[in-house]
Amino acid sequence: MVLNLREITKENWVDMIDLDISKAQEDYVSLPAEAIAASKFYDYYVNRGIYLENKAVGFIQYYPNYDDGKPNEIFIDQLIIDISQQGKGYGTKAMELLLEEIKQLKGIDSVSICYVEGHDIMKTFFQRFNFKVIEQDEFDETIMELHFSC
């Protein structure tokens, strides 16, 4: 399996819009079209397509956590695998690639994510990468963090 992450550009953004998730999953993540549109208001958002060879299978969005006053932390806002591609290990491999990409960023020492209560499968998914629960916020979102070793 040759999975890779690619920058979202005007040449491949439609690949992301064509990704599908279940109706139930729509309660927990934004559709790629919404996430990409929102990112255009913030020049520090990073959008990545997840590709198996040349086939789009997912989408990731992350950014420095400036809003929470944590510029040395990356917040992973979206991780989506197309419904037809779920359960094949692509999310795991994409997360491994993403964490390697983030570790290369200058000055970054941690990563945070959140999952909405009820979507508990994501808790165990992120725990596999050593993310730890740190709090539950006012929106019933559980915040998890991963700190990089120096």
Side-chain angles (χ1 to χ4, degrees), residues 48-136:
R48 294 283 185 257
I50 305 168
Y51 282 82
L52 177 64
E53 304 288 339
N54 287 313
K55 177 180 175 48
V57 297
F59 172 77
I60 295 174
Q61 181 180 80
Y62 69 89
Y63 51 85
N65 202 354
Y66 297 135
D67 290 343
D68 289 339
K70 300 177 180 178
N72 295 342
E73 177 182 271
I74 293 294
F75 181 75
I76 300 172
D77 194 38
Q78 303 292 322
L79 172 59
I80 296 166
I81 301 296
D82 186 87
I83 194 164
S84 70
Q85 303 299 319
Q86 292 176 10
K88 298 179 181 181
Y90 301 152
T92 298
K93 181 63 176 170
M95 181 59 82
E96 290 169 357
L97 292 170
L98 178 61
L99 291 174
E100 285 306 312
E101 179 175 313
I102 291 170
K103 285 178 183 178
Q104 302 306 312
L105 299 173
K106 202 170 232 150
I108 300 300
D109 58 20
S110 64
V111 179
S112 65
I113 59 91
C114 74
Y115 70 91
V116 177
E117 290 299 314
H119 199 212
D120 297 337
I121 192 168
M122 294 312 292
K123 178 181 181 181
T124 55
F125 175 80
F126 289 117
Q127 284 175 327
R128 284 190 277 157
F129 299 96
N130 295 316
F131 281 84
K132 307 282 188 243
V133 173
I134 60 162
E135 70 177 283
Q136 185 170 4

Side-chain angles (χ1 to χ4, degrees), residues 31-51:
L31 295 171
E34 296 167 342
I36 292 168
S39 74
K40 296 308 170 188
F41 297 106
Y42 305 95
D43 61 357
Y44 53 90
Y45 275 46
V46 178
N47 297 311
R48 294 283 185 257
I50 305 168
Y51 282 82

Side-chain angles (χ1 to χ4, degrees), residues 7-22:
E7 181 179 357
I8 304 302
T9 65
K10 67 180 180 178
E11 286 78 26
N12 69 352
W13 69 273
V14 173
D15 292 346
M16 299 302 104
I17 292 173
D18 288 341
L19 296 171
D20 287 320
I21 56 176
S22 72

